Amino acid sequence: MRLAPEVSTRLKVPLGDDVVPVSELVLAGRPTGTELQGGTFEAGVAVPDGFLVFLTEGVPEEERLSIYLVDDAGRLLDRANIGQWTTAAAFSDLQIESADTLRFRFLGDGHWRLRLLPGGGLRLPLVPEAPCVTRPFGFTRRFVLSTDSSRR
Amino acid sequence: MANYQTPGMLCTMRGGRFALGTCQAPPAPGPSGPTRLETALDALKAEVANAGAHLALDAQTRKAYIRLTAEMSAELRQAAQSGAMTWEQAANEAQVVRNAIMEQMRARTTPVGRSLAEQMKAEGKSLTELVKDKTAKLFGKARSFEDLSAAERDSVFAEIVASAGRGRPSVNASVRVMSRAGRGLLVFSLAVSVYTVATANDKVDAAKHEGAATLAGIGGGIAGGAAAGLVCGPGAPVCVTIGAFVGGAMAAMGVDYFHLW
């Protein structure tokens, strides 16, 4: 893993009162056509055969972080969101811990850890792997999120 | 002469013996005694109303939260524009008032809604961080707040005031779905109750029973969720949801068991 300055996004649909912002993924200056939910690009990280992209919606008082795993061509492989109703959150302190793990701060009083699952893994749909994490309905995942934050 | 019930049959005793030809099946439970199936169906209906009420109540609370924060933001903007306060004061006030509205609204949500909103502590940005972010958004990352003119600084604070009046659009979208689903479940529950009353022999008794079971289901759900919150802590949505479900079912079955109508 390494921070990837070649990853960026281009805002396609701006934030509105009832409109979720949408951005297009840009890799090495080339638009990929892949649309991602979120209007504020927070970070890009290169991983084996792809990239992790971190985007927030742009409402600091009730922020949501969207994490996308894409392949080298920008095709979406996996995604997860972290957010909690009526709760302020801010993305910060991204640190790469090892070849397959990084950590960052967002919601809660501790760190979040993201660990890549090289061969992918199974998951139960609708059962969050950590509090405040949501994913689209499905049975597989390519990375797993955990947090050492204390519960309220 | 006395009546004795043998397994599955009710017989009359005469002279210490079963009187021949008097054994018969016990009468089917009438209005005074619902069967287990009826009780289970009542609990199911009450759970539908319980889920619908939870969704509809939380959606309403969310709408109120959005309305109040938007009004607060508009009032502060007006106050700053009229010179009643500076834009910096308005930005500070917006943070404080929004938090107060949030606490007020959390108190009005159902225990399940509250548990979903209190799983983790906030990790918000300070006003200084917000100022830095909004400066970068409005004027680019190359400029710092200190380099801005007075009017430009005011526009940064104005953006913070506007932002405080905004709810996350992805939540707003979910709430619209929740609101529709909640109302749909309540209408479905009401329709089943109306059908039950319409087809009952004793319509007044059936209406009382339907009303009691539905209200008990909703009330029991709220109480069960709150009780589970006390045991598991407020930020435990799975536990609180189970509590709300069990509370609703027990209350609805209790109405039948104790004949509370």
Side-chain angles (χ1 to χ4, degrees):
Chain A
M1 279 188 183
R2 63 169 174 83
L3 289 176
E6 65 269 37
V7 178
S8 62
T9 56
R10 190 173 65 177
L11 188 63
K12 286 195 79 175
V13 179
L15 173 75
D17 284 346
D18 283 324
V19 181
V20 180
V22 175
S23 301
E24 181 182 11
L25 177 64
V26 177
L27 294 177
R30 289 195 315 274
T32 60
T34 302
E35 291 190 345
L36 310 173
Q37 278 194 356
T40 306
F41 174 76
E42 298 285 357
V45 175
V47 300
D49 305 321
F51 300 95
L52 284 163
V53 188
F54 296 81
L55 287 162
T56 49
E57 213 158 297
V59 184
E61 291 79 6
E62 197 176 33
E63 194 59 277
R64 178 176 77 161
L65 177 68
S66 296
I67 305 168
Y68 296 91
L69 176 66
V70 297
D71 66 13
D72 286 332
R75 282 184 293 263
L76 191 61
L77 301 174
D78 194 9
R79 63 174 290 192
N81 299 309
I82 307 172
Q84 181 172 276
W85 292 23
T86 62
T87 307
F91 181 85
S92 65
D93 198 23
L94 174 66
Q95 292 176 35
I96 291 164
E97 287 192 329
S98 67
D100 65 353
T101 306
L102 59 77
R103 73 175 193 173
F104 56 90
R105 289 181 70 89
F106 185 59
L107 192 62
D109 53 7
H111 280 91
W112 287 85
R113 275 193 173 69
L114 182 153
R115 186 167 57 85
L116 291 171
L117 303 172
L122 291 175
R123 68 181 170 97
L124 289 172
L126 307 177
V127 179
E129 59 217 67
C132 306
V133 173
T134 54
R135 288 173 179 269
F137 187 88
F139 294 90
T140 59
R141 61 185 170 190
R142 304 286 290 266
F143 62 83
V144 62
L145 289 163
S146 60
T147 180
D148 54 17
S149 292
S150 58
R151 294 293 193 95
R152 282 174 64 114
Chain B
M1 192 170 65
N3 289 334
Y4 287 90
Q5 189 166 1
T6 63
M9 299 296 276
L10 185 68
C11 306
T12 302
M13 299 285 287
R14 285 197 196 103
R17 295 183 177 180
F18 287 113
L20 290 176
T22 62
C23 292
Q24 56 187 340
S32 58
T35 63
R36 284 183 183 176
L37 178 64
E38 284 170 338
T39 302
L41 286 175
D42 284 343
L44 185 63
K45 274 189 289 183
E47 286 297 3
V48 170
N50 184 16
H54 271 76
L55 290 169
L57 280 171
D58 285 344
Q60 279 306 112
T61 306
R62 170 75 188 182
K63 284 177 189 168
Y65 172 71
I66 294 297
R67 193 188 69 246
L68 287 172
T69 51
E71 284 172 3
M72 172 272 294
S73 174
E75 280 171 21
L76 287 172
R77 194 166 57 240
Q78 208 168 24
Q81 280 168 342
S82 68
M85 61 169 59
T86 66
W87 278 105
E88 185 175 4
Q89 287 169 333
N92 267 306
E93 185 87 358
Q95 302 302 303
V96 175
V97 178
R98 179 165 174 141
N99 286 340
I101 293 172
M102 185 190 72
E103 285 304 322
Q104 187 191 351
M105 289 298 113
R106 280 186 180 176
R108 281 171 50 178
T109 55
T110 63
V112 174
R114 191 177 175 122
S115 71
L116 284 168
E118 293 190 341
Q119 290 182 82
M120 300 190 82
K121 288 177 187 166
E123 174 72 0
K125 290 181 178 176
S126 64
L127 188 61
T128 309
E129 290 170 319
L130 285 174
V131 164
K132 192 179 163 192
D133 282 1
K134 300 298 181 192
T135 301
K137 182 185 168 190
L138 293 175
F139 302 104
K141 287 184 178 173
R143 297 190 66 185
S144 73
F145 183 73
E146 288 70 30
D147 300 333
L148 302 180
S149 67
E152 287 172 333
R153 289 183 180 193
D154 281 350
S155 66
V156 169
F157 288 126
E159 177 62 22
I160 292 171
V161 172
S163 174
R166 220 177 270 141
R168 175 153 48 96
S170 55
V171 175
N172 297 346
S174 305
V175 167
R176 273 197 299 278
V177 175
M178 267 175 59
S179 178
R180 280 191 215 114
R183 279 179 295 176
L185 288 172
L186 283 173
V187 168
F188 177 74
S189 170
L190 184 68
V192 172
S193 291
V194 167
Y195 175 80
T196 306
V197 172
T199 55
N201 291 329
D202 186 342
K203 292 183 175 33
V204 174
D205 187 70
K208 285 183 191 167
H209 170 255
E210 289 299 309
T214 303
L215 289 177
I218 295 170
I222 302 277
L230 288 176
V231 175
C232 308
V238 175
C239 175
V240 173
T241 304
I242 291 171
F245 184 83
V246 171
M250 285 180 69
M253 288 192 286
V255 165
D256 277 355
Y257 188 79
F258 296 108
H259 201 94
L260 300 174
W261 73 93

